[in-house]
């Protein structure tokens, strides 16, 4: 698996906020790989001085990703309805957020 953080928005006002991305191979899921990757990413972003980390989860049916983020202190902040088009249908996006450097 792998994880990375990217700018939440390109404008200067958002330069202290990052969006995380975590991918885990299907045969490695449920073994703690995602939690390990995201934990290290959170620490790296804190060390870099970022203020907020956001998770933009593609689909309300992505319970493993939602639970992963919840387990590391992310809170549900909203749902964007039908904003993603994939596999011939519209998908909601779950927004989650975690403060860094508290």
């Amino acid at each position: 698996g792998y994880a990375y953080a990217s700018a939440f928005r390109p404008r200067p006002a958002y330069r202290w906020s990052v969006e995380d991305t975590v991918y885990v191979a299907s045969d490695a899921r449920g073994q703690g790989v995602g939690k390990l990757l995201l934990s290290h990413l959170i620490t790296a972003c804190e060390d870099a001085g970022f203020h907020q980390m956001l998770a933009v989860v593609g689909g309300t049916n992505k319970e493993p990703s939602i639970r992963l983020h919840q387990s590391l202190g992310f809170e549900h902040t909203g749902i964007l309805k039908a904003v993603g088009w994939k596999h011939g249908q519209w998908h909601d996006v779950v927004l989650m957020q975690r403060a860094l450097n508290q």
Side-chain angles (χ1 to χ4, degrees):
Y2 64 93
Y4 63 89
S6 56
F8 172 63
R9 294 275 191 262
R11 296 181 184 212
Y14 302 106
R15 70 182 166 273
W16 303 111
S17 297
V18 293
E19 179 181 334
D20 76 82
T21 300
V22 180
Y23 288 101
V24 177
S26 58
D27 61 343
R29 291 181 186 149
Q31 300 176 35
V33 174
K35 191 168 189 174
L36 182 65
L37 289 168
L38 186 53
S39 295
H40 284 287
L41 184 62
I42 290 167
T43 299
C45 288
E46 287 180 326
D47 291 348
F50 289 104
H51 180 66
Q52 296 287 329
M53 182 175 278
L54 299 119
V56 181
V57 180
T60 54
N61 63 335
K62 301 291 185 185
E63 281 301 318
S65 183
I66 293 168
R67 283 192 308 270
L68 165 65
H69 285 86
Q70 286 174 329
S71 75
L72 291 170
F74 284 76
E75 295 179 0
H76 176 89
T77 56
I79 296 176
L80 301 175
K81 299 288 187 175
V83 295
W85 178 260
K86 187 176 180 180
H87 302 300
Q89 61 184 350
W90 290 104
H91 294 270
D92 297 343
V93 167
V94 177
L95 300 175
M96 302 180 79
Q97 182 176 346
R98 182 192 193 281
L100 303 174
N101 290 310
Q102 292 297 309

